[in-house]
Amino acid sequence: MMMEAERDVRIRSGAKRRPRPCSASYIAVRDALYQLTRLNDFKSEKIGGGFYADVFKVTHKSTGEVMVLKMNKNSKFSRQMLSEIQLMNRLSHPNILRSVCLHQLLGRLSVYTCIQGFF
Ligand SMILES: Nc1ncnc2c1ncn2[C@@H]1O[C@H](COP(=O)(O)OP(=O)(O)OP(=O)(O)O)[C@@H](O)[C@H]1O
């Protein structure tokens, strides 16, 4: 069965070109990277942490935009982070965050999401 995301890529790629199959994780990363962001652009404050990631409240220095940044503690947790991003972006509900952009530094993957819920 074709995944929803794969079907989207096939539709977007047009009828003439032969569609290249893309994995769901490739699509998650590609979609999130459209808006590249540097960590140095933010002031950050640690607000929590789970098993595999630390969570920061980040404020963009020039725009003042506030977001939540979740960064895995170790590069070996990148797969978990990607699965979480894929799941978040597949669901659409006012109480479920969506990733705004993604950032990778020394193999540690960070996801930026809108801030919601706890604040
Ligand atoms: N969007 C958010 N806004 C405010 N605080 C948040 C947000 N996301 C996470 N946090 C804080 O960071 C903590 C850890 O978040 P995380 O998503 O890693 O939790 P978890 O899913 O409980 O962890 P685990 O990976 O161990 O299951 C949360 O308990 C919460 O305090």
Side-chain angles (χ1 to χ4, degrees), residues 47-55 68 70 84 97 113-119:
I47 54 172
F51 175 74
Y52 77 90
D54 290 321
V55 178
V68 166
K70 184 165 177 174
E84 189 168 323
L97 301 179
T113 55
C114 299
I115 204 147
Q116 188 179 316
F118 290 90
F119 290 91

PDB file of all heavy atoms in Angstrom, residues 47-55 68 70 84 97 113-119, ligand 1:
ATOM      1  N   ILE A  47      13.395  23.996  29.747  1.00  0.00           N
ATOM      2  CA  ILE A  47      12.139  23.899  30.499  1.00  0.00           C
ATOM      3  C   ILE A  47      11.767  22.459  30.829  1.00  0.00           C
ATOM      4  O   ILE A  47      10.806  22.217  31.550  1.00  0.00           O
ATOM      5  CB  ILE A  47      10.963  24.571  29.749  1.00  0.00           C
ATOM      6  CG1 ILE A  47      10.838  24.021  28.330  1.00  0.00           C
ATOM      7  CG2 ILE A  47      11.082  26.077  29.779  1.00  0.00           C
ATOM      8  CD1 ILE A  47       9.579  24.494  27.613  1.00  0.00           C
ATOM      9  N   GLY A  48      12.500  21.517  30.297  1.00  0.00           N
ATOM     10  CA  GLY A  48      12.154  20.130  30.615  1.00  0.00           C
ATOM     11  C   GLY A  48      13.034  19.145  29.887  1.00  0.00           C
ATOM     12  O   GLY A  48      13.967  19.522  29.179  1.00  0.00           O
ATOM     13  N   GLY A  49      12.732  17.908  30.072  1.00  0.00           N
ATOM     14  CA  GLY A  49      13.501  16.867  29.395  1.00  0.00           C
ATOM     15  C   GLY A  49      12.821  15.532  29.573  1.00  0.00           C
ATOM     16  O   GLY A  49      12.115  15.314  30.555  1.00  0.00           O
ATOM     17  N   GLY A  50      12.998  14.677  28.599  1.00  0.00           N
ATOM     18  CA  GLY A  50      12.427  13.337  28.667  1.00  0.00           C
ATOM     19  C   GLY A  50      13.538  12.313  28.552  1.00  0.00           C
ATOM     20  O   GLY A  50      14.707  12.622  28.802  1.00  0.00           O
ATOM     21  N   PHE A  51      13.190  11.113  28.146  1.00  0.00           N
ATOM     22  CA  PHE A  51      14.161  10.031  28.050  1.00  0.00           C
ATOM     23  C   PHE A  51      15.251  10.337  27.029  1.00  0.00           C
ATOM     24  O   PHE A  51      16.433  10.151  27.289  1.00  0.00           O
ATOM     25  CB  PHE A  51      13.437   8.726  27.689  1.00  0.00           C
ATOM     26  CG  PHE A  51      14.369   7.590  27.442  1.00  0.00           C
ATOM     27  CD1 PHE A  51      15.021   6.981  28.514  1.00  0.00           C
ATOM     28  CD2 PHE A  51      14.605   7.131  26.160  1.00  0.00           C
ATOM     29  CE1 PHE A  51      15.905   5.929  28.286  1.00  0.00           C
ATOM     30  CE2 PHE A  51      15.481   6.083  25.931  1.00  0.00           C
ATOM     31  CZ  PHE A  51      16.134   5.482  26.997  1.00  0.00           C
ATOM     32  N   TYR A  52      14.859  10.826  25.869  1.00  0.00           N
ATOM     33  CA  TYR A  52      15.862  10.981  24.815  1.00  0.00           C
ATOM     34  C   TYR A  52      16.131  12.416  24.384  1.00  0.00           C
ATOM     35  O   TYR A  52      17.000  12.676  23.567  1.00  0.00           O
ATOM     36  CB  TYR A  52      15.488  10.111  23.599  1.00  0.00           C
ATOM     37  CG  TYR A  52      14.387  10.670  22.740  1.00  0.00           C
ATOM     38  CD1 TYR A  52      14.683  11.513  21.675  1.00  0.00           C
ATOM     39  CD2 TYR A  52      13.047  10.370  22.978  1.00  0.00           C
ATOM     40  CE1 TYR A  52      13.695  12.031  20.874  1.00  0.00           C
ATOM     41  CE2 TYR A  52      12.051  10.877  22.182  1.00  0.00           C
ATOM     42  CZ  TYR A  52      12.388  11.707  21.132  1.00  0.00           C
ATOM     43  OH  TYR A  52      11.388  12.227  20.348  1.00  0.00           O
ATOM     44  N   ALA A  53      15.377  13.376  24.942  1.00  0.00           N
ATOM     45  CA  ALA A  53      15.562  14.755  24.471  1.00  0.00           C
ATOM     46  C   ALA A  53      15.426  15.767  25.601  1.00  0.00           C
ATOM     47  O   ALA A  53      14.787  15.509  26.622  1.00  0.00           O
ATOM     48  CB  ALA A  53      14.537  15.046  23.377  1.00  0.00           C
ATOM     49  N   ASP A  54      16.076  16.912  25.388  1.00  0.00           N
ATOM     50  CA  ASP A  54      15.900  18.064  26.276  1.00  0.00           C
ATOM     51  C   ASP A  54      14.959  19.043  25.575  1.00  0.00           C
ATOM     52  O   ASP A  54      14.941  19.126  24.344  1.00  0.00           O
ATOM     53  CB  ASP A  54      17.242  18.759  26.529  1.00  0.00           C
ATOM     54  CG  ASP A  54      18.169  17.911  27.383  1.00  0.00           C
ATOM     55  OD1 ASP A  54      17.675  17.266  28.326  1.00  0.00           O
ATOM     56  OD2 ASP A  54      19.380  17.896  27.092  1.00  0.00           O
ATOM     57  N   VAL A  55      14.222  19.796  26.365  1.00  0.00           N
ATOM     58  CA  VAL A  55      13.243  20.717  25.794  1.00  0.00           C
ATOM     59  C   VAL A  55      13.559  22.145  26.262  1.00  0.00           C
ATOM     60  O   VAL A  55      13.805  22.375  27.446  1.00  0.00           O
ATOM     61  CB  VAL A  55      11.807  20.303  26.197  1.00  0.00           C
ATOM     62  CG1 VAL A  55      10.784  21.268  25.652  1.00  0.00           C
ATOM     63  CG2 VAL A  55      11.512  18.881  25.715  1.00  0.00           C
ATOM     64  N   VAL A  68       9.133  26.220  21.001  1.00  0.00           N
ATOM     65  CA  VAL A  68       9.740  25.172  21.820  1.00  0.00           C
ATOM     66  C   VAL A  68      10.721  24.412  20.949  1.00  0.00           C
ATOM     67  O   VAL A  68      10.421  24.083  19.801  1.00  0.00           O
ATOM     68  CB  VAL A  68       8.670  24.212  22.373  1.00  0.00           C
ATOM     69  CG1 VAL A  68       9.310  22.955  22.932  1.00  0.00           C
ATOM     70  CG2 VAL A  68       7.882  24.900  23.465  1.00  0.00           C
ATOM     71  N   LYS A  70      13.070  21.025  20.832  1.00  0.00           N
ATOM     72  CA  LYS A  70      13.333  19.733  21.449  1.00  0.00           C
ATOM     73  C   LYS A  70      14.560  19.150  20.774  1.00  0.00           C
ATOM     74  O   LYS A  70      14.587  19.015  19.551  1.00  0.00           O
ATOM     75  CB  LYS A  70      12.107  18.828  21.251  1.00  0.00           C
ATOM     76  CG  LYS A  70      12.222  17.500  21.938  1.00  0.00           C
ATOM     77  CD  LYS A  70      10.863  16.821  22.000  1.00  0.00           C
ATOM     78  CE  LYS A  70      10.992  15.446  22.618  1.00  0.00           C
ATOM     79  NZ  LYS A  70       9.712  14.809  22.834  1.00  0.00           N
ATOM     80  N   GLU A  84       8.942  10.825  15.795  1.00  0.00           N
ATOM     81  CA  GLU A  84       8.036  11.744  16.493  1.00  0.00           C
ATOM     82  C   GLU A  84       7.592  12.879  15.557  1.00  0.00           C
ATOM     83  O   GLU A  84       6.422  13.255  15.526  1.00  0.00           O
ATOM     84  CB  GLU A  84       8.734  12.308  17.734  1.00  0.00           C
ATOM     85  CG  GLU A  84       7.797  13.088  18.619  1.00  0.00           C
ATOM     86  CD  GLU A  84       8.388  13.418  19.985  1.00  0.00           C
ATOM     87  OE1 GLU A  84       9.114  12.581  20.560  1.00  0.00           O
ATOM     88  OE2 GLU A  84       8.117  14.522  20.478  1.00  0.00           O
ATOM     89  N   LEU A  97       0.999  19.695  18.501  1.00  0.00           N
ATOM     90  CA  LEU A  97       1.949  20.619  17.887  1.00  0.00           C
ATOM     91  C   LEU A  97       2.415  20.102  16.539  1.00  0.00           C
ATOM     92  O   LEU A  97       2.453  18.906  16.292  1.00  0.00           O
ATOM     93  CB  LEU A  97       3.178  20.772  18.792  1.00  0.00           C
ATOM     94  CG  LEU A  97       2.931  21.288  20.201  1.00  0.00           C
ATOM     95  CD1 LEU A  97       4.241  21.353  20.964  1.00  0.00           C
ATOM     96  CD2 LEU A  97       2.284  22.664  20.151  1.00  0.00           C
ATOM     97  N   THR A 113       8.965  23.653  17.490  1.00  0.00           N
ATOM     98  CA  THR A 113       7.509  23.593  17.345  1.00  0.00           C
ATOM     99  C   THR A 113       6.914  24.887  17.888  1.00  0.00           C
ATOM    100  O   THR A 113       7.568  25.614  18.628  1.00  0.00           O
ATOM    101  CB  THR A 113       6.906  22.426  18.162  1.00  0.00           C
ATOM    102  OG1 THR A 113       7.329  22.546  19.514  1.00  0.00           O
ATOM    103  CG2 THR A 113       7.338  21.083  17.622  1.00  0.00           C
ATOM    104  N   CYS A 114       5.662  25.112  17.506  1.00  0.00           N
ATOM    105  CA  CYS A 114       4.973  26.268  18.068  1.00  0.00           C
ATOM    106  C   CYS A 114       4.834  26.020  19.557  1.00  0.00           C
ATOM    107  O   CYS A 114       4.746  24.880  19.991  1.00  0.00           O
ATOM    108  CB  CYS A 114       3.585  26.392  17.473  1.00  0.00           C
ATOM    109  SG  CYS A 114       3.637  26.620  15.733  1.00  0.00           S
ATOM    110  N   ILE A 115       4.793  27.076  20.303  1.00  0.00           N
ATOM    111  CA  ILE A 115       4.649  26.896  21.736  1.00  0.00           C
ATOM    112  C   ILE A 115       3.160  26.821  22.059  1.00  0.00           C
ATOM    113  O   ILE A 115       2.357  27.483  21.455  1.00  0.00           O
ATOM    114  CB  ILE A 115       5.371  28.022  22.482  1.00  0.00           C
ATOM    115  CG1 ILE A 115       5.744  27.570  23.874  1.00  0.00           C
ATOM    116  CG2 ILE A 115       4.602  29.299  22.469  1.00  0.00           C
ATOM    117  CD1 ILE A 115       7.018  28.185  24.342  1.00  0.00           C
ATOM    118  N   GLN A 116       2.802  25.962  22.928  1.00  0.00           N
ATOM    119  CA  GLN A 116       1.375  25.711  23.158  1.00  0.00           C
ATOM    120  C   GLN A 116       1.224  24.922  24.447  1.00  0.00           C
ATOM    121  O   GLN A 116       2.139  24.239  24.862  1.00  0.00           O
ATOM    122  CB  GLN A 116       0.874  24.877  21.999  1.00  0.00           C
ATOM    123  CG  GLN A 116      -0.596  24.651  21.931  1.00  0.00           C
ATOM    124  CD  GLN A 116      -0.914  23.812  20.707  1.00  0.00           C
ATOM    125  OE1 GLN A 116      -0.389  24.051  19.654  1.00  0.00           O
ATOM    126  NE2 GLN A 116      -1.740  22.827  20.881  1.00  0.00           N
ATOM    127  N   GLY A 117       0.103  24.983  25.031  1.00  0.00           N
ATOM    128  CA  GLY A 117      -0.216  24.084  26.133  1.00  0.00           C
ATOM    129  C   GLY A 117       0.328  24.516  27.467  1.00  0.00           C
ATOM    130  O   GLY A 117      -0.396  25.018  28.293  1.00  0.00           O
ATOM    131  N   PHE A 118       1.640  24.314  27.688  1.00  0.00           N
ATOM    132  CA  PHE A 118       2.195  24.555  29.009  1.00  0.00           C
ATOM    133  C   PHE A 118       2.306  26.030  29.358  1.00  0.00           C
ATOM    134  O   PHE A 118       2.494  26.372  30.502  1.00  0.00           O
ATOM    135  CB  PHE A 118       3.571  23.900  29.125  1.00  0.00           C
ATOM    136  CG  PHE A 118       3.492  22.405  29.160  1.00  0.00           C
ATOM    137  CD1 PHE A 118       3.544  21.678  27.989  1.00  0.00           C
ATOM    138  CD2 PHE A 118       3.349  21.730  30.365  1.00  0.00           C
ATOM    139  CE1 PHE A 118       3.469  20.292  28.015  1.00  0.00           C
ATOM    140  CE2 PHE A 118       3.270  20.353  30.399  1.00  0.00           C
ATOM    141  CZ  PHE A 118       3.325  19.632  29.224  1.00  0.00           C
ATOM    142  N   PHE A 119       2.264  26.931  28.362  1.00  0.00           N
ATOM    143  CA  PHE A 119       2.424  28.352  28.665  1.00  0.00           C
ATOM    144  C   PHE A 119       1.117  29.103  28.505  1.00  0.00           C
ATOM    145  O   PHE A 119       0.294  28.718  27.725  1.00  0.00           O
ATOM    146  CB  PHE A 119       3.488  28.964  27.743  1.00  0.00           C
ATOM    147  CG  PHE A 119       4.845  28.463  28.077  1.00  0.00           C
ATOM    148  CD1 PHE A 119       5.346  27.337  27.454  1.00  0.00           C
ATOM    149  CD2 PHE A 119       5.607  29.060  29.067  1.00  0.00           C
ATOM    150  CE1 PHE A 119       6.595  26.842  27.775  1.00  0.00           C
ATOM    151  CE2 PHE A 119       6.851  28.564  29.405  1.00  0.00           C
ATOM    152  CZ  PHE A 119       7.342  27.453  28.750  1.00  0.00           C
TER     153      PHE A 119
HETATM  154  N1  LIG B   1       5.468  22.396  23.770  1.00  0.00           N
HETATM  155  C1  LIG B   1       5.880  22.414  25.033  1.00  0.00           C
HETATM  156  N2  LIG B   1       5.634  23.479  25.783  1.00  0.00           N
HETATM  157  C2  LIG B   1       6.074  23.526  27.058  1.00  0.00           C
HETATM  158  N3  LIG B   1       6.790  22.561  27.672  1.00  0.00           N
HETATM  159  C3  LIG B   1       7.060  21.463  26.960  1.00  0.00           C
HETATM  160  C4  LIG B   1       6.640  21.329  25.594  1.00  0.00           C
HETATM  161  N4  LIG B   1       7.087  20.127  25.138  1.00  0.00           N
HETATM  162  C5  LIG B   1       7.710  19.553  26.176  1.00  0.00           C
HETATM  163  N5  LIG B   1       7.702  20.343  27.273  1.00  0.00           N
HETATM  164  C6  LIG B   1       8.307  20.042  28.604  1.00  0.00           C
HETATM  165  O1  LIG B   1       9.404  19.160  28.438  1.00  0.00           O
HETATM  166  C7  LIG B   1       9.159  17.923  29.126  1.00  0.00           C
HETATM  167  C8  LIG B   1       9.724  16.782  28.319  1.00  0.00           C
HETATM  168  O2  LIG B   1       9.122  16.752  27.042  1.00  0.00           O
HETATM  169  P1  LIG B   1       9.135  15.438  26.202  1.00  0.00           P
HETATM  170  O3  LIG B   1       8.338  15.679  24.956  1.00  0.00           O
HETATM  171  O4  LIG B   1      10.550  14.970  26.027  1.00  0.00           O
HETATM  172  O5  LIG B   1       8.319  14.541  27.225  1.00  0.00           O
HETATM  173  P2  LIG B   1       8.020  13.022  27.292  1.00  0.00           P
HETATM  174  O6  LIG B   1       7.367  12.615  26.030  1.00  0.00           O
HETATM  175  O7  LIG B   1       7.301  12.884  28.579  1.00  0.00           O
HETATM  176  O8  LIG B   1       9.444  12.330  27.411  1.00  0.00           O
HETATM  177  P3  LIG B   1       9.828  10.819  27.083  1.00  0.00           P
HETATM  178  O9  LIG B   1      10.639  10.942  25.825  1.00  0.00           O
HETATM  179  O10 LIG B   1      10.632  10.375  28.268  1.00  0.00           O
HETATM  180  O11 LIG B   1       8.542  10.073  26.902  1.00  0.00           O
HETATM  181  C9  LIG B   1       7.651  17.878  29.311  1.00  0.00           C
HETATM  182  O12 LIG B   1       7.304  17.116  30.414  1.00  0.00           O
HETATM  183  C10 LIG B   1       7.310  19.335  29.502  1.00  0.00           C
HETATM  184  O13 LIG B   1       7.579  19.732  30.821  1.00  0.00           O
END
